[in-house]
Amino acid sequence: MKFCAGALLLLLFLGGNFAYSSPYKLIPPKTGSIFMLEDRNIDLGPEAAYAKYIAGGFRAWKGHQYNAGFTRSVYWLLLDVPPNPDSLFFVLGDAHLNDVRFYELASGKPALKYQTGDHFKFKQRPVPCRLFVFPLISGSIPGIAPIRNSRYLIRIDKHNESLQMSTEILTRASFYAKQAKYNLINGILSGAVMVLLLFGLFLFITVKDRLYLYYILYVLLICLWIIADKGYGYQYLWPDTVYFASRSRPVFNCLMNFVLLHFMQAFIGQTKASKLFLPILVLKISFIFLALLFLVPVSPPGYANLTYPMLVLMLSLGLFTCIFIFASVIQKIKAGNKQAWFYLIAISPLVFFGLAELFIHAGSKEVSNSYLSAFGIQTGLILEAIILTFGLAQRFNSYRLEREALLQAINIKQQEITAGFIDTQEQERRKISDQLHDDVGSMLSIATWQISSVLTGEGYVKESAKEKLEEAEEVLKNVAQAIRTLGHTLSPWGIQKYGMNKVLTDLVYQINLSEKTALEYAIIGFESCGHYPIPFLNDIYRIIQELLTNIIKHACASNAYLEVVEHSDHVNIIVEDNGKGIEFPFSQTSSGIGLDSIRSKIAYFNGKMEIRRKSEHGTIVVIEIPFTTTSI
């Protein structure tokens, strides 16, 4: 991400250097002279304008640019071009002129040769270019002495709007070379905007936060405004839509400011509690209303009369936008909002170039240089978008870290709750086990002893009563054994008293007593278990007990093997039998807790279990349980 943004800044810097030298330079004297007349009353025809030139009413064009600002006038230019063997182009360096009429003075009288502008379809331009380019007659024939100078009269109408003009006379080859360089620069800058768009789309898809959607809309409107402002929109996107040609820039400008304010509020976290929220809301509504006003279907002459007050209003709203954005950001900075610093740094170049653009459109000569005119606001927008991209990346990283911390905290809390639940469960089991062992077991032992004393006493007992007492004694012994087994299952109290190794050894001994399955075993470690929590050891015991119980009850195995090994950081359990094996996929049995219960215990301790079917008969179960903070 840092490399990408750095590359964009480098391209922007290079583009700016190229752009600074590539626009409209001073016309060398040998290429001709230019004279200008301002028609404040908009009532001159071509003949009357030419007559004023003859009478000395035109003044010489000084410099290479003219910034009229917001004007209510029409301007006339007269070109006096000396003979030249090369084909020449006259270039008007403004992509947005409403009505341009090009007259040729071949016989001393103006004859209309071209009429074009934003109020006409793009195909009426003599040279398909975003600027206004007119072919000039050379005035000479190769191999023959020069004939005479060529004169042209040009009427430029952009009244009630802001007018910034520049002129240049170029050979055909020079013109196309400069246009290629200019298009390359704009392509690089537009490509930078597209990269930012894709990055914003990636963040939106990843995080699903509306802030990134606002960012995408903002950068998209930046791109559309640049395309419209440079004339590429009229050339490639809406060449036949005269209605939208003059309206595209102010419409995109209003929408861009609306989204800019909305994005700013979301980025710095401005809420309705802020005193600036309501004024900004009014400002946003004003931009939407103004955009709709620009789109009112009015004929070009009628639209020209409405343009001036609407553009002044739009620039005034833009100035208020700068003021409210800075006020909002400073308010958040005072409150300790780090994102506001990012926004302040990002918005600064845009405000600088935006104010320069305001002064240029207002007719200021001090800031009327080629770079600010050609690329100023574009540079400010792209710099802002790049810096905001860093801010969004930082916000995304903070979001990711906060999410990870939250998930970790939830996981720790869940483990604490689970551990508390298990501890409570163990305590309840221990109480029940102790009651069964101490109370019920003791009473059964007394009852068995009393019956045994009757049977072994010297008193006379009937044969039938003796048989019944023997049966009762046997039943009581079985019940006592069952209660002892149940007590051990609920809480293997022997672990705490004798240790894990001894309890597992007793479990193997009890299984071998049944003579159903011959169980061999190897228990390595667990000589001292004081540093392990009792619930952890109890669960290890239950896992082993459940596996061995499944072998005895369901595997029909004649031989089995148990191996338990205590390592420094984990415990290994291996259980192997030669029974009928486990059917795949595994399912919980109806007669026991089943494999799902074993899996849940192992998963709680972040352990692993692997079950493999042996090639001949039987099953091997391999379990590894780490000693983590969950278990220790």
Side-chain angles (χ1 to χ4, degrees):
M1 178 58 218
K2 291 182 180 179
F3 171 78
C4 179
L8 294 181
L9 286 171
L10 178 61
L11 292 175
L12 185 62
F13 173 76
L14 294 175
N17 287 334
F18 279 124
Y20 190 84
S21 60
S22 66
Y24 321 106
K25 62 183 180 181
L26 180 65
I27 303 173
K30 64 179 181 180
T31 61
S33 302
I34 303 177
F35 303 89
M36 183 178 68
L37 172 68
E38 181 179 359
D39 182 8
R40 289 185 171 89
N41 298 323
I42 317 179
D43 58 356
L44 292 178
E47 291 81 4
Y50 186 59
K52 281 187 174 290
Y53 167 74
I54 298 298
F58 280 59
R59 59 186 176 87
W61 178 282
K62 295 181 180 180
H64 62 285
Q65 285 191 328
Y66 179 73
N67 184 6
F70 283 100
T71 180
R72 297 181 182 274
S73 304
V74 168
Y75 291 84
W76 291 86
L77 299 180
L78 189 133
L79 307 182
D80 191 356
V81 183
N84 197 308
D86 297 324
S87 297
L88 299 178
F89 282 156
F90 174 68
V91 182
L92 275 174
D94 188 332
H96 300 282
L97 299 174
N98 295 332
D99 188 350
V100 181
R101 301 177 189 180
F102 190 89
Y103 297 90
E104 185 177 4
L105 298 169
S107 58
K109 292 184 178 181
L112 181 63
K113 191 170 184 180
Y114 306 110
Q115 184 174 10
T116 184
D118 283 358
H119 290 174
F120 304 91
K121 292 184 178 182
F122 186 82
K123 62 184 179 182
Q124 287 191 217
R125 299 193 182 187
V127 176
C129 178
R130 65 183 188 85
L131 303 176
F132 293 91
V133 183
F134 302 94
L136 302 179
I137 299 174
S138 64
S140 65
I141 302 174
I144 302 177
I147 303 174
R148 54 181 170 74
N149 285 11
S150 300
R151 289 181 176 177
Y152 305 91
L153 191 64
I154 305 167
R155 181 181 184 271
I156 300 171
D157 184 1
K158 201 181 180 184
H159 70 281
N160 290 335
E161 294 186 41
S162 178
L163 174 63
Q164 291 79 40
M165 282 193 301
S166 62
T167 60
E168 195 169 21
I169 296 177
L170 299 170
T171 63
R172 180 185 294 269
S174 299
F175 168 74
Y176 284 114
K178 288 200 171 189
Q179 285 304 302
K181 183 184 291 186
Y182 193 92
N183 292 339
L184 174 62
I185 297 168
N186 276 289
I188 291 173
L189 296 177
S190 300
V193 174
M194 294 304 298
V195 171
L196 299 176
L197 266 177
L198 293 175
F199 180 72
L201 182 62
F202 164 75
L203 292 179
F204 175 68
I205 294 173
T206 304
V207 182
K208 301 293 190 302
D209 189 342
R210 288 185 180 180
L211 173 67
Y212 302 104
L213 180 60
Y214 301 149
Y215 174 76
I216 293 171
L217 291 175
Y218 177 56
V219 176
L220 180 61
L221 286 168
I222 288 175
C223 193
L224 289 173
W225 185 88
I226 291 173
I227 290 171
D229 183 64
K230 299 305 174 186
Y232 294 111
Y234 194 35
Q235 183 176 359
Y236 297 110
L237 301 181
W238 48 83
D240 297 324
T241 310
V242 176
Y243 162 80
F244 194 61
S246 299
R247 294 167 169 83
S248 57
R249 288 187 303 160
V251 168
F252 289 140
N253 187 289
C254 291
L255 295 178
M256 185 173 62
N257 278 281
F258 171 82
V259 178
L260 169 64
L261 290 168
H262 205 71
F263 173 74
M264 179 272 298
Q265 290 178 312
F267 190 86
I268 67 175
Q270 187 181 69
T271 62
K272 294 180 180 179
S274 173
K275 294 180 180 180
L276 298 171
F277 185 86
L278 185 58
I280 291 176
L281 177 62
V282 173
L283 200 58
K284 290 193 292 184
I285 295 173
S286 300
F287 276 118
I288 293 297
F289 175 77
L290 190 58
L292 295 175
L293 198 60
F294 275 113
L295 290 173
V296 172
V298 182
S299 62
Y303 177 75
N305 296 326
L306 296 173
T307 304
Y308 186 83
M310 290 194 298
L311 288 176
V312 171
L313 177 60
M314 184 183 73
L315 292 176
S316 301
L317 291 176
L319 184 60
F320 281 115
T321 298
C322 296
I323 294 172
F324 281 117
I325 285 177
F326 269 106
S328 299
V329 171
I330 291 172
Q331 185 184 63
K332 283 294 182 178
I333 288 175
K334 290 181 177 179
N337 189 317
K338 293 182 179 179
Q339 290 295 109
W341 278 107
F342 267 108
Y343 201 85
L344 178 63
I345 297 171
I347 204 69
S348 296
L350 177 62
V351 171
F352 170 76
F353 287 107
L355 291 175
E357 183 85 0
L358 286 175
F359 286 118
I360 288 172
H361 284 290
S364 173
K365 305 298 188 295
E366 287 76 10
V367 294
S368 182
N369 65 69
S370 58
Y371 182 75
L372 289 177
S373 300
F375 296 101
I377 195 69
Q378 183 178 358
T379 302
L381 288 169
I382 293 176
L383 282 174
E384 181 208 20
I386 291 174
I387 298 171
L388 284 177
T389 300
F390 278 106
L392 290 174
Q394 190 269 344
R395 179 188 175 96
F396 175 76
N397 189 53
S398 299
Y399 169 83
R400 180 180 59 81
L401 294 176
E402 289 174 2
R403 186 182 179 90
E404 289 177 356
L406 178 62
L407 290 175
Q408 187 176 7
I410 292 174
N411 186 39
I412 293 173
K413 188 66 176 178
Q414 185 65 39
Q415 290 179 359
E416 291 175 355
I417 293 173
T418 304
F421 173 77
I422 292 175
D423 186 57
T424 303
Q425 189 181 54
E426 287 295 332
Q427 292 178 10
E428 293 299 322
R429 285 179 171 179
R430 184 62 182 268
K431 288 179 182 178
I432 297 173
S433 176
D434 290 344
Q435 289 176 354
L436 289 174
H437 181 269
D438 297 338
D439 298 337
V440 180
S442 298
M443 289 187 289
L444 288 174
S445 297
I446 293 172
T448 304
W449 177 78
Q450 289 175 343
I451 293 174
S452 178
S453 64
V454 171
L455 291 173
T456 57
E458 297 180 357
Y460 173 76
V461 180
K462 291 183 178 180
E463 191 64 28
S464 59
K466 185 177 181 180
E467 291 178 1
K468 291 179 180 179
L469 288 172
E470 289 175 349
E471 291 176 1
E473 182 184 26
E474 186 65 27
V475 170
L476 287 174
K477 288 181 180 179
N478 292 335
V479 171
Q481 182 60 36
I483 288 175
R484 273 196 300 271
T485 303
L486 178 59
H488 285 299
T489 303
L490 285 172
S491 179
W493 53 271
I495 293 176
Q496 191 171 5
K497 188 174 182 179
Y498 302 110
M500 187 71 164
N501 195 310
K502 179 67 168 59
V503 171
L504 290 177
T505 302
D506 290 344
L507 177 63
V508 173
Y509 176 75
Q510 293 294 330
I511 291 174
N512 284 328
L513 279 180
S514 66
E515 298 183 352
K516 293 182 178 179
T517 302
L519 177 60
E520 299 180 12
Y521 70 100
I523 301 173
I524 303 173
F526 289 109
E527 299 296 337
S528 174
C529 302
H531 57 288
Y532 295 117
I534 294 301
F536 171 68
L537 297 176
N538 288 345
D539 279 333
I540 296 293
Y541 177 84
R542 291 191 183 100
I543 290 171
I544 296 171
Q545 185 183 48
E546 288 164 5
L547 288 172
L548 296 178
T549 301
N550 284 338
I551 291 174
I552 296 170
K553 290 185 176 181
H554 308 292
C556 299
S558 59
N559 292 283
Y561 173 74
L562 168 66
E563 181 180 299
V564 181
V565 180
E566 178 192 18
H567 296 277
S568 60
D569 58 348
H570 69 279
V571 57
N572 274 108
I573 302 170
I574 299 175
V575 177
E576 181 179 356
D577 68 78
N578 64 348
K580 62 182 181 181
I582 300 175
E583 296 296 329
F584 292 83
F586 312 122
S587 61
Q588 184 171 327
T589 62
S590 59
S591 58
I593 297 176
L595 290 171
D596 287 343
S597 176
I598 297 174
R599 279 203 181 94
S600 65
K601 289 183 175 66
I602 295 172
Y604 174 72
F605 295 115
N606 299 318
K608 296 182 292 184
M609 180 174 70
E610 182 182 359
I611 301 178
R612 297 195 299 265
R613 185 185 293 168
K614 295 168 65 176
S615 57
E616 57 279 2
H617 290 290
T619 305
I620 298 177
V621 179
V622 180
I623 297 172
E624 180 180 309
I625 298 177
F627 298 145
T628 62
T629 53
T630 306
S631 57
I632 302 301

mmCIF file of all heavy atoms in Angstrom, residues 98-128:
data_model
loop_
_atom_site.group_PDB
_atom_site.id
_atom_site.type_symbol
_atom_site.label_atom_id
_atom_site.label_comp_id
_atom_site.label_asym_id
_atom_site.label_seq_id
_atom_site.Cartn_x
_atom_site.Cartn_y
_atom_site.Cartn_z
ATOM 1 N N ASN A 98 -18.796 28.314 -25.163
ATOM 2 C CA ASN A 98 -20.176 28.003 -25.578
ATOM 3 C C ASN A 98 -20.387 28.141 -27.086
ATOM 4 O O ASN A 98 -21.020 27.291 -27.718
ATOM 5 C CB ASN A 98 -21.155 28.908 -24.821
ATOM 6 C CG ASN A 98 -21.149 28.620 -23.339
ATOM 7 O OD1 ASN A 98 -20.858 27.508 -22.909
ATOM 8 N ND2 ASN A 98 -21.457 29.633 -22.540
ATOM 9 N N ASP A 99 -19.875 29.246 -27.673
ATOM 10 C CA ASP A 99 -20.115 29.520 -29.094
ATOM 11 C C ASP A 99 -18.874 30.172 -29.682
ATOM 12 O O ASP A 99 -18.500 31.284 -29.296
ATOM 13 C CB ASP A 99 -21.332 30.440 -29.244
ATOM 14 C CG ASP A 99 -21.763 30.603 -30.702
ATOM 15 O OD1 ASP A 99 -21.011 30.170 -31.601
ATOM 16 O OD2 ASP A 99 -22.840 31.174 -30.934
ATOM 17 N N VAL A 100 -18.215 29.459 -30.574
ATOM 18 C CA VAL A 100 -17.008 29.966 -31.228
ATOM 19 C C VAL A 100 -17.273 30.004 -32.733
ATOM 20 O O VAL A 100 -17.598 28.979 -33.341
ATOM 21 C CB VAL A 100 -15.778 29.086 -30.924
ATOM 22 C CG1 VAL A 100 -14.538 29.666 -31.601
ATOM 23 C CG2 VAL A 100 -15.561 28.955 -29.424
ATOM 24 N N ARG A 101 -17.107 31.202 -33.319
ATOM 25 C CA ARG A 101 -17.317 31.372 -34.753
ATOM 26 C C ARG A 101 -16.004 31.828 -35.387
ATOM 27 O O ARG A 101 -15.418 32.826 -34.966
ATOM 28 C CB ARG A 101 -18.428 32.381 -35.024
ATOM 29 C CG ARG A 101 -19.752 31.975 -34.404
ATOM 30 C CD ARG A 101 -20.837 33.011 -34.607
ATOM 31 N NE ARG A 101 -22.027 32.687 -33.818
ATOM 32 C CZ ARG A 101 -23.137 33.419 -33.810
ATOM 33 N NH1 ARG A 101 -23.209 34.521 -34.578
ATOM 34 N NH2 ARG A 101 -24.163 33.067 -33.055
ATOM 35 N N PHE A 102 -15.603 31.079 -36.382
ATOM 36 C CA PHE A 102 -14.302 31.292 -37.027
ATOM 37 C C PHE A 102 -14.543 31.819 -38.442
ATOM 38 O O PHE A 102 -15.120 31.135 -39.288
ATOM 39 C CB PHE A 102 -13.530 29.969 -37.061
ATOM 40 C CG PHE A 102 -12.103 30.094 -37.485
ATOM 41 C CD1 PHE A 102 -11.103 30.328 -36.558
ATOM 42 C CD2 PHE A 102 -11.750 29.970 -38.829
ATOM 43 C CE1 PHE A 102 -9.781 30.432 -36.944
ATOM 44 C CE2 PHE A 102 -10.425 30.077 -39.219
ATOM 45 C CZ PHE A 102 -9.433 30.322 -38.280
ATOM 46 N N TYR A 103 -14.085 33.085 -38.683
ATOM 47 C CA TYR A 103 -14.293 33.744 -39.977
ATOM 48 C C TYR A 103 -12.945 33.842 -40.702
ATOM 49 O O TYR A 103 -11.907 34.157 -40.088
ATOM 50 C CB TYR A 103 -14.862 35.143 -39.799
ATOM 51 C CG TYR A 103 -16.240 35.179 -39.159
ATOM 52 C CD1 TYR A 103 -16.365 35.261 -37.769
ATOM 53 C CD2 TYR A 103 -17.401 35.148 -39.927
ATOM 54 C CE1 TYR A 103 -17.612 35.304 -37.166
ATOM 55 C CE2 TYR A 103 -18.653 35.203 -39.335
ATOM 56 C CZ TYR A 103 -18.750 35.272 -37.956
ATOM 57 O OH TYR A 103 -19.990 35.323 -37.365
ATOM 58 N N GLU A 104 -12.994 33.627 -41.998
ATOM 59 C CA GLU A 104 -11.806 33.792 -42.835
ATOM 60 C C GLU A 104 -11.935 35.102 -43.615
ATOM 61 O O GLU A 104 -12.977 35.374 -44.227
ATOM 62 C CB GLU A 104 -11.677 32.612 -43.790
ATOM 63 C CG GLU A 104 -10.399 32.640 -44.603
ATOM 64 C CD GLU A 104 -10.265 31.407 -45.492
ATOM 65 O OE1 GLU A 104 -11.208 30.581 -45.523
ATOM 66 O OE2 GLU A 104 -9.227 31.277 -46.153
ATOM 67 N N LEU A 105 -10.883 35.922 -43.588
ATOM 68 C CA LEU A 105 -10.883 37.212 -44.294
ATOM 69 C C LEU A 105 -10.082 37.064 -45.578
ATOM 70 O O LEU A 105 -8.996 37.634 -45.754
ATOM 71 C CB LEU A 105 -10.294 38.306 -43.393
ATOM 72 C CG LEU A 105 -11.059 38.576 -42.100
ATOM 73 C CD1 LEU A 105 -10.257 39.465 -41.170
ATOM 74 C CD2 LEU A 105 -12.401 39.214 -42.403
ATOM 75 N N ALA A 106 -10.617 36.306 -46.496
ATOM 76 C CA ALA A 106 -9.898 36.026 -47.735
ATOM 77 C C ALA A 106 -9.883 37.239 -48.663
ATOM 78 O O ALA A 106 -8.862 37.582 -49.257
ATOM 79 C CB ALA A 106 -10.520 34.831 -48.442
ATOM 80 N N SER A 107 -10.980 37.934 -48.803
ATOM 81 C CA SER A 107 -11.081 39.073 -49.728
ATOM 82 C C SER A 107 -11.405 40.359 -48.988
ATOM 83 O O SER A 107 -12.041 41.253 -49.534
ATOM 84 C CB SER A 107 -12.161 38.781 -50.775
ATOM 85 O OG SER A 107 -13.411 38.527 -50.119
ATOM 86 N N GLY A 108 -11.011 40.411 -47.731
ATOM 87 C CA GLY A 108 -11.277 41.605 -46.946
ATOM 88 C C GLY A 108 -12.625 41.596 -46.279
ATOM 89 O O GLY A 108 -12.942 42.515 -45.518
ATOM 90 N N LYS A 109 -13.409 40.571 -46.543
ATOM 91 C CA LYS A 109 -14.713 40.450 -45.909
ATOM 92 C C LYS A 109 -14.756 39.154 -45.102
ATOM 93 O O LYS A 109 -14.286 38.114 -45.569
ATOM 94 C CB LYS A 109 -15.824 40.442 -46.956
ATOM 95 C CG LYS A 109 -15.992 41.774 -47.681
ATOM 96 C CD LYS A 109 -17.169 41.714 -48.629
ATOM 97 C CE LYS A 109 -17.371 43.069 -49.330
ATOM 98 N NZ LYS A 109 -18.526 43.042 -50.254
ATOM 99 N N PRO A 110 -15.335 39.210 -43.909
ATOM 100 C CA PRO A 110 -15.398 37.979 -43.076
ATOM 101 C C PRO A 110 -16.394 36.971 -43.645
ATOM 102 O O PRO A 110 -17.548 37.311 -43.920
ATOM 103 C CB PRO A 110 -15.826 38.489 -41.709
ATOM 104 C CG PRO A 110 -16.490 39.802 -41.974
ATOM 105 C CD PRO A 110 -15.875 40.381 -43.202
ATOM 106 N N ALA A 111 -15.906 35.748 -43.828
ATOM 107 C CA ALA A 111 -16.772 34.655 -44.287
ATOM 108 C C ALA A 111 -16.720 33.548 -43.232
ATOM 109 O O ALA A 111 -15.629 33.064 -42.875
ATOM 110 C CB ALA A 111 -16.288 34.135 -45.638
ATOM 111 N N LEU A 112 -17.883 33.153 -42.725
ATOM 112 C CA LEU A 112 -17.958 32.129 -41.678
ATOM 113 C C LEU A 112 -17.478 30.785 -42.220
ATOM 114 O O LEU A 112 -18.019 30.263 -43.195
ATOM 115 C CB LEU A 112 -19.398 31.992 -41.153
ATOM 116 C CG LEU A 112 -19.603 30.975 -40.027
ATOM 117 C CD1 LEU A 112 -18.825 31.372 -38.780
ATOM 118 C CD2 LEU A 112 -21.088 30.828 -39.703
ATOM 119 N N LYS A 113 -16.457 30.232 -41.585
ATOM 120 C CA LYS A 113 -15.925 28.943 -42.010
ATOM 121 C C LYS A 113 -16.273 27.829 -41.019
ATOM 122 O O LYS A 113 -16.596 26.718 -41.422
ATOM 123 C CB LYS A 113 -14.408 29.049 -42.173
ATOM 124 C CG LYS A 113 -13.795 27.838 -42.855
ATOM 125 C CD LYS A 113 -12.346 28.080 -43.213
ATOM 126 C CE LYS A 113 -11.791 26.891 -43.994
ATOM 127 N NZ LYS A 113 -10.360 27.113 -44.369
ATOM 128 N N TYR A 114 -16.200 28.135 -39.721
ATOM 129 C CA TYR A 114 -16.531 27.131 -38.702
ATOM 130 C C TYR A 114 -17.379 27.782 -37.615
ATOM 131 O O TYR A 114 -17.147 28.941 -37.244
ATOM 132 C CB TYR A 114 -15.273 26.545 -38.047
ATOM 133 C CG TYR A 114 -14.271 25.972 -39.009
ATOM 134 C CD1 TYR A 114 -13.043 26.619 -39.217
ATOM 135 C CD2 TYR A 114 -14.529 24.796 -39.692
ATOM 136 C CE1 TYR A 114 -12.109 26.102 -40.092
ATOM 137 C CE2 TYR A 114 -13.584 24.264 -40.567
ATOM 138 C CZ TYR A 114 -12.386 24.923 -40.765
ATOM 139 O OH TYR A 114 -11.469 24.414 -41.645
ATOM 140 N N GLN A 115 -18.338 27.012 -37.110
ATOM 141 C CA GLN A 115 -19.091 27.426 -35.919
ATOM 142 C C GLN A 115 -19.189 26.204 -35.000
ATOM 143 O O GLN A 115 -19.723 25.161 -35.397
ATOM 144 C CB GLN A 115 -20.485 27.943 -36.260
ATOM 145 C CG GLN A 115 -21.227 28.468 -35.020
ATOM 146 C CD GLN A 115 -22.556 29.132 -35.365
ATOM 147 O OE1 GLN A 115 -23.039 29.047 -36.499
ATOM 148 N NE2 GLN A 115 -23.156 29.803 -34.389
ATOM 149 N N THR A 116 -18.681 26.324 -33.799
ATOM 150 C CA THR A 116 -18.637 25.184 -32.876
ATOM 151 C C THR A 116 -18.734 25.702 -31.442
ATOM 152 O O THR A 116 -18.926 26.887 -31.203
ATOM 153 C CB THR A 116 -17.347 24.365 -33.085
ATOM 154 O OG1 THR A 116 -17.364 23.223 -32.241
ATOM 155 C CG2 THR A 116 -16.108 25.190 -32.786
ATOM 156 N N GLY A 117 -18.599 24.808 -30.489
ATOM 157 C CA GLY A 117 -18.694 25.158 -29.071
ATOM 158 C C GLY A 117 -19.546 24.153 -28.316
ATOM 159 O O GLY A 117 -20.071 23.180 -28.884
ATOM 160 N N ASP A 118 -19.689 24.394 -27.010
ATOM 161 C CA ASP A 118 -20.470 23.474 -26.175
ATOM 162 C C ASP A 118 -21.958 23.517 -26.472
ATOM 163 O O ASP A 118 -22.697 22.618 -26.048
ATOM 164 C CB ASP A 118 -20.237 23.802 -24.693
ATOM 165 C CG ASP A 118 -18.889 23.294 -24.201
ATOM 166 O OD1 ASP A 118 -18.171 22.673 -24.998
ATOM 167 O OD2 ASP A 118 -18.552 23.516 -23.020
ATOM 168 N N HIS A 119 -22.403 24.564 -27.172
ATOM 169 C CA HIS A 119 -23.816 24.642 -27.546
ATOM 170 C C HIS A 119 -24.106 23.963 -28.880
ATOM 171 O O HIS A 119 -25.207 24.080 -29.417
ATOM 172 C CB HIS A 119 -24.275 26.107 -27.595
ATOM 173 C CG HIS A 119 -24.356 26.741 -26.251
ATOM 174 N ND1 HIS A 119 -24.624 28.088 -26.063
ATOM 175 C CD2 HIS A 119 -24.197 26.224 -25.000
ATOM 176 C CE1 HIS A 119 -24.632 28.357 -24.769
ATOM 177 N NE2 HIS A 119 -24.370 27.245 -24.107
ATOM 178 N N PHE A 120 -23.100 23.259 -29.397
ATOM 179 C CA PHE A 120 -23.250 22.535 -30.659
ATOM 180 C C PHE A 120 -22.688 21.128 -30.472
ATOM 181 O O PHE A 120 -21.889 20.878 -29.568
ATOM 182 C CB PHE A 120 -22.507 23.259 -31.784
ATOM 183 C CG PHE A 120 -22.924 24.687 -31.971
ATOM 184 C CD1 PHE A 120 -22.258 25.707 -31.285
ATOM 185 C CD2 PHE A 120 -23.980 25.015 -32.799
ATOM 186 C CE1 PHE A 120 -22.641 27.024 -31.439
ATOM 187 C CE2 PHE A 120 -24.363 26.339 -32.959
ATOM 188 C CZ PHE A 120 -23.703 27.344 -32.280
ATOM 189 N N LYS A 121 -23.076 20.231 -31.323
ATOM 190 C CA LYS A 121 -22.585 18.861 -31.224
ATOM 191 C C LYS A 121 -21.085 18.829 -31.466
ATOM 192 O O LYS A 121 -20.540 19.647 -32.209
ATOM 193 C CB LYS A 121 -23.310 17.957 -32.213
ATOM 194 C CG LYS A 121 -24.786 17.754 -31.864
ATOM 195 C CD LYS A 121 -25.445 16.762 -32.809
ATOM 196 C CE LYS A 121 -26.906 16.523 -32.409
ATOM 197 N NZ LYS A 121 -27.574 15.546 -33.272
ATOM 198 N N PHE A 122 -20.448 17.842 -30.857
ATOM 199 C CA PHE A 122 -18.994 17.779 -30.916
ATOM 200 C C PHE A 122 -18.482 17.603 -32.347
ATOM 201 O O PHE A 122 -17.390 18.067 -32.696
ATOM 202 C CB PHE A 122 -18.488 16.629 -30.032
ATOM 203 C CG PHE A 122 -17.003 16.565 -29.918
ATOM 204 C CD1 PHE A 122 -16.323 17.366 -29.014
ATOM 205 C CD2 PHE A 122 -16.264 15.716 -30.733
ATOM 206 C CE1 PHE A 122 -14.934 17.330 -28.926
ATOM 207 C CE2 PHE A 122 -14.882 15.674 -30.640
ATOM 208 C CZ PHE A 122 -14.216 16.480 -29.743
ATOM 209 N N LYS A 123 -19.243 16.936 -33.191
ATOM 210 C CA LYS A 123 -18.795 16.658 -34.555
ATOM 211 C C LYS A 123 -18.638 17.930 -35.397
ATOM 212 O O LYS A 123 -18.051 17.879 -36.493
ATOM 213 C CB LYS A 123 -19.748 15.691 -35.242
ATOM 214 C CG LYS A 123 -21.161 16.221 -35.404
ATOM 215 C CD LYS A 123 -22.059 15.161 -36.008
ATOM 216 C CE LYS A 123 -23.498 15.657 -36.158
ATOM 217 N NZ LYS A 123 -24.383 14.606 -36.708
ATOM 218 N N GLN A 124 -19.138 19.076 -34.911
ATOM 219 C CA GLN A 124 -18.987 20.324 -35.651
ATOM 220 C C GLN A 124 -17.601 20.935 -35.472
ATOM 221 O O GLN A 124 -17.274 21.922 -36.141
ATOM 222 C CB GLN A 124 -20.050 21.345 -35.226
ATOM 223 C CG GLN A 124 -21.439 21.015 -35.728
ATOM 224 C CD GLN A 124 -22.426 22.146 -35.524
ATOM 225 O OE1 GLN A 124 -23.582 21.920 -35.218
ATOM 226 N NE2 GLN A 124 -21.980 23.375 -35.713
ATOM 227 N N ARG A 125 -16.782 20.378 -34.624
ATOM 228 C CA ARG A 125 -15.429 20.901 -34.451
ATOM 229 C C ARG A 125 -14.583 20.490 -35.650
ATOM 230 O O ARG A 125 -14.589 19.319 -36.068
ATOM 231 C CB ARG A 125 -14.811 20.393 -33.151
ATOM 232 C CG ARG A 125 -15.597 20.820 -31.918
ATOM 233 C CD ARG A 125 -14.848 20.612 -30.643
ATOM 234 N NE ARG A 125 -15.672 20.996 -29.492
ATOM 235 C CZ ARG A 125 -15.239 21.058 -28.236
ATOM 236 N NH1 ARG A 125 -13.970 20.759 -27.972
ATOM 237 N NH2 ARG A 125 -16.056 21.425 -27.265
ATOM 238 N N PRO A 126 -13.833 21.416 -36.208
ATOM 239 C CA PRO A 126 -13.055 21.103 -37.422
ATOM 240 C C PRO A 126 -11.967 20.059 -37.180
ATOM 241 O O PRO A 126 -11.616 19.296 -38.078
ATOM 242 C CB PRO A 126 -12.457 22.454 -37.818
ATOM 243 C CG PRO A 126 -12.508 23.296 -36.580
ATOM 244 C CD PRO A 126 -13.709 22.832 -35.816
ATOM 245 N N VAL A 127 -11.410 20.025 -35.961
ATOM 246 C CA VAL A 127 -10.423 19.014 -35.584
ATOM 247 C C VAL A 127 -10.944 18.314 -34.338
ATOM 248 O O VAL A 127 -11.260 18.978 -33.347
ATOM 249 C CB VAL A 127 -9.051 19.654 -35.303
ATOM 250 C CG1 VAL A 127 -8.059 18.591 -34.827
ATOM 251 C CG2 VAL A 127 -8.520 20.357 -36.540
ATOM 252 N N PRO A 128 -11.090 16.979 -34.379
ATOM 253 C CA PRO A 128 -11.643 16.268 -33.206
ATOM 254 C C PRO A 128 -10.668 16.325 -32.034
ATOM 255 O O PRO A 128 -9.751 15.514 -31.912
ATOM 256 C CB PRO A 128 -11.830 14.839 -33.716
ATOM 257 C CG PRO A 128 -10.884 14.706 -34.855
ATOM 258 C CD PRO A 128 -10.787 16.055 -35.490
#
